[in-house]
Amino acid sequence: MVPTDRIFVALDTTETARAVGLARDLVGKVGGAKVGKEYFTANGPDGVRAVASVGMPVFIDLKWHDIPNTVAGAVRASLPLKPAFVNVHASGGAAMLQAAVAAAAEAGEQRPLVLAVTVLTSLDDEDLRATGINGSASDQVLRLAKLAQDNGIDGVVCSAREIDVLREACGPQFRLMVPGIRPAWTLSADQKRVMTPAEAVERGADYLVIGRPITGADDPAVAAGRIAEELGA
Ligand code: C5P
C-alpha cells in the first residue's frame, strides 16, 4: 500500500460545503475520508455522495449496533453509496456480525470492508464493571476482536496501544484502522493516548484516522503531505 492510501481524514463537521471543500483539497493526498454521526446526521446520504463525488473513498463510521435484521438493512442501505468501509459494534454478537458481513457481500467485488468497534476508548475497567463486564478493558477488546474475526469481519477500529496485541492475535490480514494519531509536529489537543503516524504503521496499523492535524491546519493538503512523507512517501 502506498503511504497516502493509509490516511483517512476525519471530516467531523455538520457543513457539507466544508467537508466537500476539504475533500477536494485532499484528493490524492489521503486514501479516503471518514464521515461519522455528526456529519451523517446533519447531511445524510446526500452528504456522503457529495464527499464521494470528488473522487474520495469514504468510510461511513456509524457504528451500527442493533438486531441482526436491522443492521443488515443499514449495511444494505449504504451499498448504493459505495463506501470503502462501514462499521458495527462487535458487542452486537455473532449473528449481528454475520448479518452485516452477508449484507455487505451483496455488493460483490465492490463490497465495503466491514470493521468492528470493540470497546469505546472512553470506557475504562470501572465503566465496564458497571455494565457487568468484570475483566479488563484490554481483555474485552481482544475477546470482541476475535469474535468479530470469527464471524467474518474484516478488521477493527482500535487505539494505537492495542495494535501490538491485535496484530499478534488476529494475524496479518485483519485490518487495523487506528484513530488518535498525532504527527510529531502537532499538539495532541484532547487526545490523551496518541501515537505518531510512523510509529503506528511500524507497529502494524493498516489505516490511520486523522482529523484535526489535517483539517485544522492552515493548509490541509500540505499537512497531509507531511504526514505521508513521515510514512515514507
Ligand atoms: O481530530 P482527531 O484526529 O482527533 O479525530 C479523530 C477521529 O477519530 C474522530 O472522528 C473521532 O471520533 C475518531 N475516534 C477517536 N478515538 C477513538 C475512536 C474514534 O478519536 N477511540
Side-chain angles (χ1 to χ4, degrees):
M1 198 178 347
V2 298
T4 46
D5 286 352
R6 295 185 184 278
I7 305 170
F8 270 68
V9 60
L11 300 179
D12 293 317
T13 171
T14 57
E15 305 294 328
T16 311
R18 161 110 177 114
V20 172
L22 280 163
R24 269 202 198 102
D25 285 353
L26 293 167
V27 162
K29 304 269 190 324
V30 298
K34 180 179 89 70
V35 297
K37 290 189 168 95
E38 179 182 3
Y39 184 74
F40 193 85
T41 301
N43 301 292
D46 285 344
V48 176
R49 271 184 213 102
V51 170
S53 72
V54 313
M56 187 69 96
V58 178
F59 169 18
I60 301 179
D61 174 24
L62 292 175
K63 302 185 179 69
W64 291 306
H65 187 182
D66 211 311
I67 59 171
N69 187 58
T70 299
V71 168
V75 172
R76 198 173 291 121
S78 78
L79 298 180
L81 302 173
K82 298 189 171 57
F85 295 92
V86 298
N87 62 356
V88 297
H89 273 279
S91 55
M96 192 207 79
L97 295 166
Q98 288 172 22
V101 170
E106 291 170 18
E109 291 199 350
Q110 286 237 336
R111 80 177 178 99
L113 296 183
V114 185
L115 302 180
V117 173
T118 59
V119 177
L120 296 172
T121 49
S122 50
L123 302 176
D124 62 17
D125 293 1
E126 203 180 315
D127 295 317
L128 284 184
R129 210 156 27 248
T131 70
I133 292 160
N134 291 312
S136 69
S138 51
D139 287 350
Q140 184 69 354
V141 167
L142 188 54
R143 183 180 299 119
L144 289 173
K146 293 295 284 178
L147 179 74
Q149 186 174 37
D150 289 347
N151 288 286
I153 292 286
D154 297 293
V156 290
V157 181
C158 70
S159 81
R161 67 205 167 102
E162 294 159 357
I163 296 171
D164 296 341
V165 167
L166 292 177
R167 183 54 75 213
E168 167 80 26
C170 300
Q173 302 303 323
F174 200 57
R175 270 58 156 220
L176 302 181
M177 169 90 73
V178 182
I181 296 297
R182 289 294 175 268
W185 40 271
T186 62
L187 295 172
S188 72
D190 58 354
Q191 292 277 13
K192 290 196 184 115
R193 282 181 286 267
V194 297
M195 197 176 274
T196 66
E199 193 182 357
V201 169
E202 203 171 290
R203 286 185 179 222
D206 296 297
Y207 301 99
L208 309 173
V209 173
I210 306 178
R212 291 160 290 178
I214 295 174
T215 59
D218 291 338
D219 187 333
V222 168
R226 283 181 77 180
I227 293 168
E229 248 169 58
E230 271 188 64
L231 294 176

